[in-house]
Amino acid sequence: MTTPLIRSATKRQFLISLGLDPDHGSTQETYWMLKDEATRAYESQLQGRGDLLRPEYANQEPPFAAAHFTAEAFSSVVRSIYQTACPSARRYYDRGRVVQGDNWVISWMLYHVCRYRDGRNIRAARARDFHADDDLDDSHGREIAYNPD
């Protein structure tokens, strides 16, 4: 297990927290694997699902932000991603286990998949460029330095 990150932490902070070097080519492959699993789950279980919204967002039109979904709906998708994960992804998801609450690795990724579809980052939603969804604002979360040990 690793120390959980807040959902708004940057991609760089996320990768470093998983023990990955953000500048190494294999890290990109790992990131895309995790993101693809979260994207498939989002598209099959959350996308356009107004019945899963919190009451205050009942009249919201798609696309929905992660915060629009009920905590149970979001948690259910996080659990589903873990249960259906490929062995390679499960290795990273196991680092995100917490005593109580959602797996922070899957939650972070699913939150960001939602974020790229709710209109806040159109470029990242459409791109297959590893850096297209880099966060330009590193002011969120704690400072983390890469330590390969």
Side-chain angles (χ1 to χ4, degrees), residues 54-131:
R54 294 171 37 195
E56 60 268 32
Y57 298 110
N59 296 322
Q60 180 77 27
E61 293 293 322
F64 306 122
H68 293 163
F69 294 105
T70 65
E72 181 50 39
F74 196 88
S75 293
S76 176
V77 176
V78 169
R79 288 189 302 272
S80 171
I81 292 170
Y82 185 82
Q83 291 167 354
T84 61
C86 69
S88 297
R90 178 77 57 97
R91 180 175 146 219
Y92 293 98
Y93 296 155
D94 284 344
R95 298 177 190 183
R97 292 182 311 182
V98 294
V99 176
Q100 288 186 332
D102 291 334
N103 181 300
W104 74 262
V105 172
I106 300 171
S107 291
W108 185 94
M109 189 59 76
L110 185 58
Y111 171 87
H112 285 265
V113 166
C114 290
R115 181 177 178 206
Y116 302 136
R117 280 149 183 78
D118 72 5
R120 284 185 272 173
N121 193 338
I122 298 300
R123 179 177 60 105
R126 294 185 182 141
R128 187 67 181 172
D129 172 17
F130 181 67
H131 297 290

Side-chain angles (χ1 to χ4, degrees), residues 22-42:
D23 301 317
H24 193 274
S26 66
T27 295
Q28 293 180 23
E29 293 172 21
T30 300
Y31 178 81
W32 286 118
M33 173 186 59
L34 300 176
K35 186 173 182 181
D36 286 345
E37 288 199 351
T39 298
R40 283 193 307 275
Y42 171 84

Side-chain angles (χ1 to χ4, degrees), residues 18-19 46 121 123 146:
L18 288 177
L46 292 175
N121 193 338
R123 179 177 60 105
Y146 175 67

